């Protein structure tokens, strides 16, 4: 089986700036699971994974525009904690998602208060050219329901409970 539209793909990745140490390695946490061909994954990564089989590795370099976007020069701002979509333990410098009237967006946590948080509206990796090293861990057929919903159910996916 190879990666094509309507396959559920599990992969591990590490990423770094060219010639720099590793910034993130999914082996420290969990592999990524996504539904191929439904625009839920970074397009540059989908393109690199297209046609690959389990066990294959691929390395792809993405400019900021294709990764986490260009860095915007804006001051951090303070928002009520309820707009923070990321739950769990919070620490400054981490990537978070916040709720805005235009939908969820990436940001960097600057400071955590009791009722508010200060956020920098840039993803921590914004403005960086990144090398992604990917390893395909598994491929399966998506269920009809997953295809209709446009996302993965079960382990690593969305739960509708
Ligand atoms: Zn669903």
């Amino acid at each position: 089986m190879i990666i094509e539209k309507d396959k559920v793909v599990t992969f591990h990745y590490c990423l770094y700036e060219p010639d720099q140490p590793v910034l993130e390695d999914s082996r420290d946490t969990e592999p990524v699971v996504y539904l191929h061909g439904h625009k839920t994954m970074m397009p540059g990564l989908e393109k690199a994974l297209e046609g690959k089989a389990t066990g294959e590795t691929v390395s792809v370099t993405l400019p900021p525009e294709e990764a986490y976007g260009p860095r915007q020069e804006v001051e951090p701002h303070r928002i009520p904690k309820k707009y923070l979509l990321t739950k769990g333990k919070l620490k400054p410098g981490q990537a978070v998602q916040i709720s805005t009237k235009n939908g969820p967006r990436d940001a960097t946590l600057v400071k955590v208060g009791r009722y508010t948080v200060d956020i920098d509206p840039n993803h921590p990796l914004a403005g960086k050219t990144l090398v992604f090293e990917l390893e395909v861990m598994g491929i399966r057929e998506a269920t009809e329901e997953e295809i209709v919903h446009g996302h993965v159910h079960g382990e690593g996916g969305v739960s509708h409970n």
Side-chain angles (χ1 to χ4, degrees), residues 145 149 151 153 158 160:
E145 195 184 40
H149 286 203
H151 56 226
H153 293 158
V158 175
H160 291 298

Side-chain angles (χ1 to χ4, degrees), residues 58-77:
V58 58
S59 169
V60 59
T61 303
L62 299 180
E65 299 71 42
E66 289 184 41
Y68 291 96
R71 178 160 286 277
Q72 311 168 46
E73 290 311 320
V74 278
E75 292 296 310
H77 52 266

Side-chain angles (χ1 to χ4, degrees), residues 44 108 118 125 141 148:
T108 305
D118 291 1
L125 298 172
E141 298 287 350
V148 170

Side-chain angles (χ1 to χ4, degrees), residues 9-81:
V9 181
T10 304
F11 71 88
H12 268 302
Y13 71 93
C14 71
L15 65 83
Y16 49 89
E17 290 182 85
D19 304 318
Q20 296 297 312
V22 169
L23 291 169
E24 242 180 75
D25 191 335
S26 65
R27 286 172 184 78
D28 295 337
T29 52
E30 282 174 0
V32 178
V33 183
Y34 79 100
L35 179 58
H36 192 81
H38 288 258
K39 297 190 165 77
T40 57
M41 181 52 55
M42 234 175 243
L45 297 189
E46 275 211 353
K47 213 170 111 193
L49 287 165
E50 178 89 24
K52 295 287 182 293
T54 300
E56 279 195 82
T57 58
V58 58
S59 169
V60 59
T61 303
L62 299 180
E65 299 71 42
E66 289 184 41
Y68 291 96
R71 178 160 286 277
Q72 311 168 46
E73 290 311 320
V74 278
E75 292 296 310
H77 52 266
R78 185 159 292 181
I79 59 170
K81 245 182 188 170

